[in-house]
Amino acid sequence: MPATPEDLFVRLDALGIQTTTHSHPPLYTVEDSKALRGSLPGGHCKNLFLKDKKGQVWLIVADEDREIDLKRLRRQIGAGGTLSFGKPELLEELLGVKPGAVTPFALINDTGQQVR
């Protein structure tokens, strides 16, 4: 059973990390995110759940305006062949989230430490 948002907040609180939360529907593009948030301050990122031909998976977190070249990225991270987006079923299995809701906080659910 994946951790709930409340589980995450409890864990962050136990670590002494204060949070402010802004809930929103799933977002699939940077453009969708920019349109929804308006002038919300702070840095904004995009999160990519990727898989290579050998079955290794990565969660890439980048500035929302950074262009990502998957061919170049695969060499930088040492991927075994072509990178592609991981299937929704694998995303849910490993991180407990659905497409459009990918976040580095979901790593709380990767108890087998399979996501790089």
Side-chain angles (χ1 to χ4, degrees):
M1 185 70 134
T4 65
E6 292 74 27
D7 294 332
L8 175 64
F9 299 143
V10 166
R11 189 175 218 177
L12 292 173
D13 187 55
L15 293 169
I17 299 171
Q18 295 180 344
T19 62
T20 300
T21 303
H22 299 275
S23 298
H24 59 79
L27 300 169
Y28 301 98
T29 67
V30 169
E31 291 75 25
D32 289 346
S33 176
K34 286 180 176 182
L36 178 70
R37 76 166 177 261
S39 62
L40 185 68
H44 302 281
C45 63
K46 56 185 168 188
N47 304 295
L48 309 175
F49 181 70
L50 303 173
K51 181 180 179 226
D52 72 7
K53 292 286 184 185
K54 293 184 177 180
Q56 297 178 99
V57 290
W58 285 267
L59 177 60
I60 303 297
V61 180
D63 181 85
E64 69 180 356
D65 292 319
R66 180 165 184 126
E67 187 175 314
I68 304 292
D69 177 341
L70 293 181
K71 289 181 183 179
R72 186 170 171 226
L73 179 62
R74 84 172 190 219
R75 290 187 297 274
Q76 291 175 318
I77 64 175
T82 306
L83 284 172
S84 61
F85 290 95
K87 294 188 182 293
E89 299 81 20
L90 183 60
L91 174 62
E92 250 186 285
E93 175 188 332
L94 296 179
L95 295 182
V97 296
K98 296 183 181 299
V102 180
T103 170
F105 292 119
L107 289 168
I108 193 174
N109 293 312
D110 182 22
T111 56
Q113 298 181 341
Q114 296 178 60
V115 180
R116 295 173 178 218

